[in-house]
Amino acid sequence: MRGAVEVGGSKNATLGAMAACLLVGDDCLLENVPRIADIEQMADVMRSLGAKVEWDDEHTLRINSASVDRTCPDRELVGSLRGSFLVMGALLGRFGEASCPPPGGDVIGQRPIEVHLEGFRALGADVHIDADAFHARASKLRGNVFFADYPSVLGTQNAMMAAALADGTTTIVNAAAEPEVQNLAEMLNAMGARITGAGTGTITVEGVASLKPVRFPMIPDRLEAGTFAIAGVITGGEVEIQGVNLAHLTSFLYKLRQTGAVVETDGDSLRVRQHGPLKAVTVQALPYPGFATDLQAPFAVLLTQASGVSYVHERVFDNRLLYISELRKMGAEIVTTGTTVAIISGPTPLTGSSLRAMDVRAGAAFILAGLVARGRTEVTDVYHVDRGYERIDEKLRALGASIERV
Ligand code: EPU
């Protein structure tokens, strides 16, 4: 594959930013929003609360929460979108009351919600769970020290949004440091919040009386960037990925270079190519700034083409190697121990097969495998891929891939 490709805005940053628009009753404009299924679904979640959500142009969303008159989103919509649980923190912050049915999400392991609920409790909310939904209520939220058992990304975002309008100062200890958390903190600050420390393990939120509407850009999608970089390397091509934030890709690019791939960076773009055979490496998926769990499956596909034995250790989710049995159908030599360690022997020629995408990242990984496999690869349940990647087929085709949406 050869050529240049531009990455879009971050899916996961946008989900948080959309929820944050519930904190004010006026027009907010979100720029650089990816046109993907998860964002459309979050828009429907917000509409089910009474918010107005519309596209101003191809990648700008206008959200107005003045007419929000419900504090519990539609169950059907929430049930398949994990990020929809973010409305809890924002609704609780603005109205002192929020409910949400259990959120869905990918089948990648246990996805508890306790960190979120504990954050609300730490701020003084009364939290209870019934057969229908999680409920949180407080006559007035009060700042406090909140220790998160795990640096949960959405849990940290929920706590920040609830604390933004609380009385006094909140300290989130063991906060998630992901760029998507930083993006939300910066947006909230642009709305008038007082948040420091985002991007580290301790975030401080000084509550303010009110917030104001904002126009704010989303960060580039680091996961889309990583996926295209792997596409370039795995096909032995040369691909330039434009519009990236290199600081967000440090761990990924480090590991990519360790395989022997050549990575050149310049401002907001990077160029990748193969230089001789790829070498086996060890990868551990960890919270940021560790290697992103969302790039674990795509990277494992690359490692099937590396010479030697690679180890992949998924340490964020406890069941995110389900895609491996599908890759084996293509001839990949991968042994798993338990549900979190994969041992990959390579290089193995892959042969086209029919693979079912079980989540957004596994689906992207199968497309990458198809690019390098002999013969034809068919990826089914491709709606999973469309949840997180904008026009991935068109973008890959423009780089020279033979890929068709059926
Ligand atoms: N965890 C707990 N307790 C909790 C919540 C989470 O122990 O109360 C644990 C989970 O069991 C898991 C780990 O924390 O082992 C990570 O979960 P986290 O809560 O950080 O994940 P998330 O916030 O639900 C976001 C992204 C995911 C991404 C993870 C990790 C969104 C909408 N989703 O999920 O993205 O994998 O952070 O970086 O932001 C994707 O885009 O494909 C995707 C799945």
mmCIF file of all heavy atoms in Angstrom, residues 193-210:
data_model
loop_
_atom_site.group_PDB
_atom_site.id
_atom_site.type_symbol
_atom_site.label_atom_id
_atom_site.label_comp_id
_atom_site.label_asym_id
_atom_site.label_seq_id
_atom_site.Cartn_x
_atom_site.Cartn_y
_atom_site.Cartn_z
ATOM 1 N N ALA A 193 -14.740 25.405 33.552
ATOM 2 C CA ALA A 193 -14.392 24.538 34.690
ATOM 3 C C ALA A 193 -12.957 24.810 35.110
ATOM 4 O O ALA A 193 -12.179 25.430 34.372
ATOM 5 C CB ALA A 193 -14.564 23.073 34.299
ATOM 6 N N ARG A 194 -12.617 24.329 36.323
ATOM 7 C CA ARG A 194 -11.237 24.498 36.794
ATOM 8 C C ARG A 194 -10.665 23.124 37.101
ATOM 9 O O ARG A 194 -10.837 22.597 38.195
ATOM 10 C CB ARG A 194 -11.216 25.367 38.062
ATOM 11 C CG ARG A 194 -11.654 26.772 37.780
ATOM 12 C CD ARG A 194 -11.048 27.764 38.770
ATOM 13 N NE ARG A 194 -11.715 29.042 38.575
ATOM 14 C CZ ARG A 194 -12.390 29.685 39.502
ATOM 15 N NH1 ARG A 194 -12.461 29.195 40.729
ATOM 16 N NH2 ARG A 194 -12.977 30.831 39.245
ATOM 17 N N ILE A 195 -10.031 22.555 36.088
ATOM 18 C CA ILE A 195 -9.502 21.196 36.211
ATOM 19 C C ILE A 195 -8.003 21.219 35.935
ATOM 20 O O ILE A 195 -7.560 21.781 34.936
ATOM 21 C CB ILE A 195 -10.204 20.250 35.200
ATOM 22 C CG1 ILE A 195 -11.715 20.252 35.439
ATOM 23 C CG2 ILE A 195 -9.649 18.830 35.309
ATOM 24 C CD1 ILE A 195 -12.522 19.440 34.442
ATOM 25 N N THR A 196 -7.236 20.625 36.847
ATOM 26 C CA THR A 196 -5.797 20.510 36.608
ATOM 27 C C THR A 196 -5.394 19.040 36.780
ATOM 28 O O THR A 196 -6.082 18.276 37.453
ATOM 29 C CB THR A 196 -4.983 21.370 37.602
ATOM 30 O OG1 THR A 196 -5.391 21.037 38.933
ATOM 31 C CG2 THR A 196 -5.180 22.856 37.372
ATOM 32 N N GLY A 197 -4.283 18.691 36.184
ATOM 33 C CA GLY A 197 -3.724 17.345 36.387
ATOM 34 C C GLY A 197 -4.192 16.308 35.379
ATOM 35 O O GLY A 197 -3.727 15.169 35.424
ATOM 36 N N ALA A 198 -5.107 16.666 34.482
ATOM 37 C CA ALA A 198 -5.567 15.662 33.497
ATOM 38 C C ALA A 198 -4.369 15.227 32.652
ATOM 39 O O ALA A 198 -3.570 16.054 32.215
ATOM 40 C CB ALA A 198 -6.662 16.247 32.618
ATOM 41 N N GLY A 199 -4.230 13.924 32.469
ATOM 42 C CA GLY A 199 -3.052 13.401 31.792
ATOM 43 C C GLY A 199 -2.069 12.823 32.801
ATOM 44 O O GLY A 199 -1.079 12.202 32.429
ATOM 45 N N THR A 200 -2.367 13.009 34.092
ATOM 46 C CA THR A 200 -1.572 12.367 35.142
ATOM 47 C C THR A 200 -2.522 11.488 35.961
ATOM 48 O O THR A 200 -3.723 11.433 35.700
ATOM 49 C CB THR A 200 -0.928 13.406 36.084
ATOM 50 O OG1 THR A 200 -1.941 13.940 36.954
ATOM 51 C CG2 THR A 200 -0.275 14.546 35.314
ATOM 52 N N GLY A 201 -1.996 10.866 36.995
ATOM 53 C CA GLY A 201 -2.813 9.975 37.817
ATOM 54 C C GLY A 201 -3.624 10.695 38.884
ATOM 55 O O GLY A 201 -4.414 10.062 39.593
ATOM 56 N N THR A 202 -3.434 11.999 39.014
ATOM 57 C CA THR A 202 -4.224 12.757 40.004
ATOM 58 C C THR A 202 -4.818 13.987 39.333
ATOM 59 O O THR A 202 -4.090 14.825 38.792
ATOM 60 C CB THR A 202 -3.339 13.198 41.197
ATOM 61 O OG1 THR A 202 -2.723 12.031 41.755
ATOM 62 C CG2 THR A 202 -4.177 13.887 42.267
ATOM 63 N N ILE A 203 -6.127 14.061 39.356
ATOM 64 C CA ILE A 203 -6.827 15.192 38.722
ATOM 65 C C ILE A 203 -7.541 15.982 39.811
ATOM 66 O O ILE A 203 -8.195 15.401 40.687
ATOM 67 C CB ILE A 203 -7.848 14.673 37.676
ATOM 68 C CG1 ILE A 203 -7.111 13.975 36.525
ATOM 69 C CG2 ILE A 203 -8.721 15.802 37.152
ATOM 70 C CD1 ILE A 203 -8.024 13.360 35.475
ATOM 71 N N THR A 204 -7.411 17.288 39.761
ATOM 72 C CA THR A 204 -8.097 18.142 40.729
ATOM 73 C C THR A 204 -9.156 18.967 40.008
ATOM 74 O O THR A 204 -8.875 19.581 38.974
ATOM 75 C CB THR A 204 -7.084 19.080 41.421
ATOM 76 O OG1 THR A 204 -6.059 18.250 41.990
ATOM 77 C CG2 THR A 204 -7.728 19.890 42.533
ATOM 78 N N VAL A 205 -10.347 18.954 40.566
ATOM 79 C CA VAL A 205 -11.459 19.701 39.974
ATOM 80 C C VAL A 205 -11.985 20.660 41.032
ATOM 81 O O VAL A 205 -12.495 20.238 42.066
ATOM 82 C CB VAL A 205 -12.611 18.760 39.545
ATOM 83 C CG1 VAL A 205 -13.696 19.546 38.811
ATOM 84 C CG2 VAL A 205 -12.103 17.607 38.701
ATOM 85 N N GLU A 206 -11.813 21.934 40.748
ATOM 86 C CA GLU A 206 -12.348 22.956 41.666
ATOM 87 C C GLU A 206 -13.736 23.293 41.145
ATOM 88 O O GLU A 206 -13.868 23.786 40.016
ATOM 89 C CB GLU A 206 -11.464 24.199 41.549
ATOM 90 C CG GLU A 206 -10.978 24.776 42.849
ATOM 91 C CD GLU A 206 -10.147 26.002 42.535
ATOM 92 O OE1 GLU A 206 -9.006 25.818 42.054
ATOM 93 O OE2 GLU A 206 -10.666 27.115 42.696
ATOM 94 N N GLY A 207 -14.769 23.025 41.918
ATOM 95 C CA GLY A 207 -16.125 23.243 41.419
ATOM 96 C C GLY A 207 -16.404 24.707 41.106
ATOM 97 O O GLY A 207 -15.887 25.602 41.775
ATOM 98 N N VAL A 208 -17.197 24.952 40.063
ATOM 99 C CA VAL A 208 -17.613 26.319 39.721
ATOM 100 C C VAL A 208 -19.145 26.370 39.721
ATOM 101 O O VAL A 208 -19.811 25.330 39.690
ATOM 102 C CB VAL A 208 -17.068 26.760 38.335
ATOM 103 C CG1 VAL A 208 -15.555 26.848 38.341
ATOM 104 C CG2 VAL A 208 -17.546 25.822 37.237
ATOM 105 N N ALA A 209 -19.684 27.583 39.769
ATOM 106 C CA ALA A 209 -21.144 27.726 39.887
ATOM 107 C C ALA A 209 -21.860 27.390 38.583
ATOM 108 O O ALA A 209 -22.973 26.858 38.587
ATOM 109 C CB ALA A 209 -21.477 29.152 40.323
ATOM 110 N N SER A 210 -21.235 27.729 37.457
ATOM 111 C CA SER A 210 -21.893 27.430 36.183
ATOM 112 C C SER A 210 -20.850 27.306 35.075
ATOM 113 O O SER A 210 -19.702 27.754 35.238
ATOM 114 C CB SER A 210 -22.899 28.539 35.832
ATOM 115 O OG SER A 210 -22.192 29.735 35.598
#
